[in-house]
Amino acid sequence: MALDQSIIDRLTKIVGTENIFTEKEDLAAYAYDATSIWVHEPEVVVFPISTEQISDVMKLANAEKVPVTPRGGGTNVSGGSVPIEGGIVLCTARMNQIVEISKENMIAVVEPGVVLMNLNLALAAEGLMFPPDPQSFVGATMGGVVAENSGGPAGLKYGVTKHYVLGLEWVLPDGDVINIGATTTKNRTGYDLPQLFVGSEGTLGVMTKAILKLIPKPPAARTMAAVFGDVAEAGSLVFKVLQEGIVPGKIELLDNWVINRIEEMMPMGLPTDADAMLLFELDGAKEAVDRELGRVSEICKEHGADKIMVAADPEEAMKYWTARKAGFAAVFGKSPTTLAEDVTVPRDKIPDLIRKCKELEEETGITIVIIGHAGDGNLHPSILTDEDDAEHFKKAQDTMHAIFDAALEMGGVVSGEHGVGLEKKQFMEKAVSPRVLQIMKDIKKLLDPNGIMNPGKIWE
Ligand SMILES: Cc1cc2nc3c(=O)[nH]c(=O)nc-3n(C[C@H](O)[C@H](O)[C@H](O)COP(=O)(O)OP(=O)(O)OC[C@H]3O[C@@H](n4cnc5c(N)ncnc54)[C@H](O)[C@@H]3O)c2cc1C
């Protein structure tokens, strides 16, 4: 679909010539996100720098029925920011101010383009933190974090983004600007609308400001790794630790494939023959952290850990966590196409899900890599394939579907944090009952009757 020149002219008037792009190379750069298989160019990319500009863009798009796809850092892994029906990519990256940090009220007010890492660096200087930690924090923006309800390793102890959003300034698909929620931590005024918009994946409008709840940065943290000869055994350790009344800040699982890739990229003496490694961070008061670290080491040994490695200092701890991040990046770099999923199961089903993946790997001969936030049952089984090899790709997709089915049978969900986007919309009917699906569609219709907001996402 080619956009009428008069629409481009009106958009230019709204955002200024420096904030609009229509050249072929520009459009190509905004045709994809961090998924491997979804690519579609927009007709125009705009970078509004104020709420008013976004409101005007939305009024124009709504009147002319032009699709609008919001975008932040483009790091999502569900196809969320791919403009699959063309139209306008509305990138909020240039609205990147931290408007307020209140130490007294422990809140921050941020614009959507603030990069998560920059927010946490600013908060750390005040002894505060915003806990949700998607491992893309170097590039993920707060608009994307809110719209994806992002989580990360810290989800185990601290929850995900929705637990920290107190209020929002939001531009609706018709261009109206609303303010919902408040700066207070308690608020029981009507329906909890901020929670509706958190995780809405750009389909219900555009976030222009968020009021975030913060917590004090824990005074101490220590990292340890436990190496196992059986990946499913490692998975079962998670609930054994929690049953002891210890809630680590993070528990991450890396399988043999990931350990080997880490050793290739940044040798740090990890045992490359180990079937799996659990990486723990314990945080809180120093005395409690030391005590809990000792007890977690014992529990790991009692349950089959072959080796325990404790980071001697924060620098060494940083090395482990950098390795964990590099491990996920390696998953994407090692094959032409990667199907990186994020099924989540109740914690006591983690070993069953891991065993199922291993069974499928044996049956199909397809490589299934397992890395993930084991602490909250959110694993990222990733399938290495090549979409240009039709037979292999079909087998890979069928295998992934079998993993989704298994997770649902275990009482889990098809996405713990990456969202539905384009990747998982074909599973919505399986994962959600018809009445609930209809309620969701009715909400979408109410707020976006012309269907211009990130069309093609979430539902078939
Ligand atoms: C290596 C890697 C590791 C990752 N690790 C994690 C992880 O541990 N946990 C996790 O949860 N995710 C993870 N992700 C996924 C991703 O990084 C997060 O979803 C991130 O929060 C997206 O932020 P973004 O700014 O890149 O958003 P984008 O990718 O640009 O957009 C994401 C979605 O939000 C919408 N959107 C963007 N801005 C706005 C706005 N202002 N208003 C309304 N909607 C908007 C878009 O339309 C799209 O649907 C990872 C990704 C990678 C590549």
Side-chain angles (χ1 to χ4, degrees):
M1 161 187 131
L3 266 194
D4 201 279
Q5 185 57 40
S6 73
I7 293 179
I8 305 276
D9 292 344
R10 284 151 76 193
L11 284 170
T12 309
K13 222 168 165 188
I14 293 169
V15 299
T17 46
E18 66 283 19
N19 293 321
I20 185 163
F21 299 91
T22 52
E23 296 296 325
K24 202 165 172 28
E25 306 75 49
D26 302 320
L27 302 181
Y30 291 89
Y32 63 91
D33 54 20
T35 44
S36 313
I37 55 174
W38 306 102
V39 184
H40 197 285
E41 285 184 12
E43 270 70 46
V44 56
V45 183
V46 293
F47 283 83
I49 53 167
S50 68
T51 303
E52 292 68 31
Q53 288 187 358
I54 292 181
S55 166
D56 287 345
V57 170
M58 289 315 309
K59 281 179 185 154
L60 169 59
N62 194 43
E64 300 293 341
K65 300 196 175 48
V66 180
V68 179
T69 302
R71 181 183 173 106
T75 67
N76 80 88
V77 278
S78 56
S81 54
V82 174
I84 203 73
E85 296 189 10
I88 303 169
V89 161
L90 189 160
C91 188
T92 48
R94 289 188 182 170
M95 291 173 67
N96 57 5
Q97 297 304 303
I98 299 174
V99 180
E100 182 190 349
I101 296 175
S102 165
K103 251 180 128 162
E104 295 73 21
N105 294 319
M106 285 213 270
I107 59 155
V109 180
V110 295
E111 290 188 338
V114 172
V115 170
L116 178 55
M117 183 175 74
N118 295 344
L119 173 64
N120 265 321
L121 286 173
L123 294 177
E126 305 292 337
L128 295 168
M129 102 177 183
F130 172 76
D133 59 342
Q135 294 298 281
S136 50
F137 55 80
V138 177
T141 66
M142 292 313 295
V145 168
V146 168
E148 292 289 359
N149 185 18
S150 295
L156 165 66
K157 184 168 183 176
Y158 295 106
V160 297
T161 299
K162 70 177 177 186
H163 301 118
Y164 296 89
V165 175
L166 299 174
L168 293 167
E169 179 186 84
W170 196 267
V171 180
L172 293 169
D174 64 6
D176 275 358
V177 182
I178 56 170
N179 283 281
I180 44 178
T183 54
T184 56
T185 48
K186 283 185 173 173
N187 178 9
R188 272 296 298 111
T189 325
Y191 296 141
D192 196 351
L193 288 185
Q195 294 297 305
L196 171 65
F197 290 109
V198 174
S200 59
E201 302 187 31
T203 64
L204 297 181
V206 186
M207 181 201 118
T208 47
K209 256 182 218 127
I211 304 166
L212 305 172
K213 183 173 92 168
L214 308 172
I215 63 166
K217 197 168 161 48
R222 294 192 67 187
T223 291
M224 58 163 273
V227 173
F228 292 84
D230 178 65
V231 62
E233 177 96 46
S236 71
L237 230 288
V238 173
F239 52 83
K240 286 174 184 146
V241 167
L242 298 177
Q243 273 165 358
E244 292 259 341
I246 298 172
V247 185
K250 304 170 185 172
I251 310 178
E252 296 287 295
L253 182 139
L254 296 79
D255 77 358
N256 174 273
W257 187 96
V258 180
I259 293 171
N260 277 276
R261 294 299 82 70
I262 291 172
E263 278 298 305
E264 274 168 28
M265 288 184 291
M266 43 183 295
M268 52 188 294
L270 302 180
T272 49
D273 56 345
D275 205 30
M277 186 169 97
L278 284 179
L279 194 54
F280 294 85
E281 183 179 272
L282 295 126
D283 65 358
K286 186 176 176 325
E287 302 72 24
V289 168
D290 290 343
R291 196 175 53 242
E292 288 181 348
L293 186 97
R295 184 63 196 125
V296 172
S297 307
E298 282 167 18
I299 299 169
C300 289
K301 281 187 211 144
E302 283 160 19
H303 291 93
D306 296 328
K307 190 176 174 191
I308 306 286
M309 294 172 286
V310 177
D313 49 38
E315 286 69 40
E316 202 184 340
M318 180 63 86
K319 255 173 104 176
Y320 278 104
W321 290 104
T322 306
R324 157 64 183 86
K325 247 191 310 136
F328 192 50
V331 170
F332 289 95
K334 271 285 168 184
S335 63
T337 310
T338 306
L339 304 177
E341 295 307 338
D342 77 318
V343 287
T344 302
V345 290
R347 274 188 208 106
D348 64 344
K349 295 287 187 293
I350 296 172
D352 298 346
L353 183 67
I354 294 173
R355 276 189 209 105
K356 179 73 191 177
C357 291
K358 293 287 151 200
E359 268 169 42
L360 285 166
E361 193 171 42
E362 259 171 47
E363 261 169 55
T364 60
I366 299 240
T367 307
I368 306 177
V369 176
I370 300 180
I371 184 168
H373 316 307
D376 48 25
N378 181 200
L379 295 181
H380 297 306
S382 302
I383 294 191
L384 309 187
T385 181
D386 179 357
E387 66 174 322
D388 292 333
D389 178 343
E391 197 185 327
H392 195 275
F393 190 57
K394 164 90 177 61
K395 212 168 169 194
Q397 284 185 311
D398 290 347
T399 307
M400 191 50 87
H401 293 188
I403 296 175
F404 287 147
D405 285 341
L408 289 173
E409 269 166 34
M410 290 173 198
V413 295
V414 294
S415 173
E417 55 184 23
H418 292 169
V420 177
L422 295 166
E423 288 272 299
K424 291 188 201 89
K425 59 182 190 170
Q426 56 181 311
F427 297 100
M428 282 298 276
E429 283 186 11
K430 246 188 207 176
V432 180
S433 75
R435 182 77 179 103
V436 174
L437 201 57
Q438 194 52 51
I439 291 171
M440 290 187 192
K441 287 182 178 173
D442 288 348
I443 291 171
K444 165 76 175 167
K445 189 96 192 147
L446 174 75
L447 294 174
D448 182 20
N450 291 326
I452 56 158
M453 212 63 243
N454 210 356
K457 309 295 165 67
I458 305 186
W459 301 284
E460 292 286 5

